[in-house]
Amino acid sequence: MENKYQTIIIGGGVAGMTAALYLKRAGHKVAIIEKEAPGGQITRTSSIENYPGILKIDGPELALTMYEQMTALEVPFLFQEVVNLNLENDSIFVSTKNNQFECENLILALGRNPKRLEIENEQKLSGKGISWCAVCDGPLYKNKEVAVIGGGRSAIEETIYLSKMCSKVTLIHRREEFRAEKSLTDELRAISNIDLKIPNQVSKFIEKDGYLDRLLLEDGSELKVSGCFEFIGQEPSTKICENLGILDSDGYIEVNKDYQTKYPNIYAGGDCIKKDLYQIVTACADGAMMAEQILKKSSK
Ligand code: NAP
């Protein structure tokens, strides 16, 4: 059967691509299924400066380089959305809208998606002034005033990135302290066209002619902006495995130290599992470790 693989990886982010790299180089029959662009979260990251060996690189560029590596190794990269997972004896059946695939091992490298504020008009103005990706949508606001919401590393990095193209960036954060490291927040505070509104929160998005016009803040003031970027954290994209009984109460996949779920032939790694450090290097490490576990098992 042509759609049969030793291992199928769901998720073509850095964890999934690293697992494929290690498996394919060891002669394993492996395929990646991905519903969006290769690279996952890094496609939404403007600048990466903590990936060893590379001084500075844009997320989409690193994603493309990794994807080229997949192509060079002839790893099938199937751009399809998985809709169902079925376990039968020792086989796993992965269904997409138009196909069914069978594998002996499954790697879930499902990553995370940006959280939303869930406030009035957010859904309506999504893509009409509200964005979750500075590298994708930042250029739309060249020489315009925008706001960023959040106080983690993503919010700080993307505020700095946007300050280079927008006339003014207002960073709104609900606490006085940031989660990002001091060197990054020091850099942020030194940039003249960044304004801080802390502590403060957005309570409503206000529209004009179908587009975002201004923000209503918790202190009652209004802020006129052309765009607003939300970076308030991430949530695991694990909906497809809801019926497998492998998720914890926060929706993350539970694994043992060998990245194995309660099913010995289903592994999970990258940002869809709970861990102390969510970074590209740790996602890559998870990918390599999952591949290693599968190769060890296959050689027995
Ligand atoms: P994060 O660290 O979880 O920060 C989320 C921020 O949003 C926090 O400041 C939080 O405020 C705020 N927030 C959450 N819910 C909110 C709400 N409902 N209203 C207003 N504010 C809210 O998320 P992140 O910045 O996306 O980072 C996620 C992980 O990826 C982190 O581990 C980070 O280190 C990592 N990361 C790494 C890199 C890199 O290595 N280059 C780049 C980006 C991110 P409080 O602080 O008050 O909770």
Side-chain angles (χ1 to χ4, degrees):
M1 184 182 169
E2 218 199 331
N3 286 354
K4 205 166 171 178
Y5 294 91
Q6 282 173 288
T7 297
I8 286 178
I9 300 167
I10 307 179
V14 298
M17 285 199 273
T18 307
L21 172 73
Y22 278 69
L23 287 167
K24 185 71 186 196
R25 281 171 55 86
H28 205 79
K29 191 173 181 208
V30 57
I32 295 179
I33 305 181
E34 164 62 56
K35 67 174 170 27
E36 290 172 1
Q41 278 179 66
I42 64 166
T43 59
R44 299 190 290 268
T45 306
S46 56
S47 172
I48 295 157
E49 296 180 41
N50 57 359
Y51 192 71
I54 296 177
L55 284 182
K56 189 172 178 168
I57 189 165
D58 292 345
E61 194 184 338
L62 182 59
L64 184 64
T65 311
M66 287 189 180
Y67 180 61
E68 283 169 355
Q69 213 169 7
M70 296 294 102
T71 313
L73 283 168
E74 296 180 359
V75 173
F77 214 105
L78 312 164
F79 291 99
Q80 301 182 32
E81 181 169 359
V82 174
V83 291
N84 197 32
L85 297 171
N86 249 314
L87 316 182
E88 275 175 37
N89 303 321
D90 287 339
S91 287
I92 303 164
F93 294 90
V94 179
S95 306
T96 62
K97 274 183 189 140
N98 301 316
N99 296 87
Q100 192 180 59
F101 303 92
E102 185 182 347
C103 57
E104 295 157 27
N105 301 289
L106 181 68
I107 289 182
L108 299 167
L110 303 169
R112 297 193 294 179
N113 271 322
K115 273 203 228 163
R116 294 180 172 227
L117 277 172
E118 313 283 353
I119 58 169
E120 196 176 336
N121 283 336
E122 183 186 47
Q123 181 66 27
K124 191 174 176 190
L125 300 175
S126 160
K128 293 179 175 173
I130 305 177
S131 168
W132 290 264
C133 178
V135 70
C136 322
D137 298 329
L140 297 174
Y141 303 103
K142 195 166 185 272
N143 299 325
K144 294 186 174 164
E145 297 194 9
V146 299
V148 171
I149 305 167
R153 193 175 178 143
S154 301
I156 307 299
E157 283 185 353
E158 304 309 315
T159 298
I160 295 171
Y161 171 76
L162 287 165
S163 71
K164 291 174 188 147
M165 63 185 86
C166 300
S167 55
K168 182 177 164 191
V169 189
T170 303
L171 177 61
I172 302 161
H173 176 39
R174 64 184 177 184
R175 291 191 295 136
E176 300 231 352
E177 300 77 29
F178 292 111
R179 285 182 190 230
E181 66 264 36
K182 191 175 175 298
S183 60
L184 206 56
T185 54
D186 285 349
E187 185 185 340
L188 174 102
R189 288 176 195 277
I191 299 173
S192 60
N193 65 335
I194 294 177
D195 190 25
L196 299 183
K197 282 208 184 292
I198 52 172
N200 216 327
Q201 293 208 63
V202 178
S203 34
K204 183 181 169 184
F205 294 107
I206 301 171
E207 66 163 307
K208 191 178 172 190
D209 303 328
Y211 285 85
L212 177 68
D213 184 60
R214 56 201 200 279
L215 313 176
L216 175 64
L217 302 185
E218 195 185 45
D219 63 8
S221 64
E222 288 188 354
L223 181 70
K224 192 156 170 58
V225 285
S226 300
C228 181
F229 294 82
E230 292 183 17
F231 297 107
I232 61 159
Q234 313 277 334
E235 55 197 6
S237 323
T238 51
K239 210 169 169 30
I240 56 158
C241 36
E242 260 172 4
N243 296 332
L244 297 179
I246 55 174
L247 303 183
D248 71 12
S249 54
D250 298 321
Y252 286 85
I253 301 173
E254 289 183 305
V255 290
N256 64 17
K257 66 170 183 37
D258 294 331
Y259 297 88
Q260 233 166 4
T261 64
K262 70 176 182 187
Y263 304 100
N265 54 353
I266 302 185
Y267 298 78
D271 281 11
C272 63
I273 62 169
K274 279 233 173 98
K275 53 185 175 174
D276 291 333
L277 192 61
Y278 291 93
Q279 302 273 291
I280 300 168
V281 281
T282 57
C284 291
D286 289 357
M289 291 301 290
M290 289 188 282
E292 179 61 14
Q293 294 302 329
I294 289 171
L295 292 170
K296 248 198 303 196
K297 199 171 68 179
S298 309
S299 69
K300 278 182 189 161

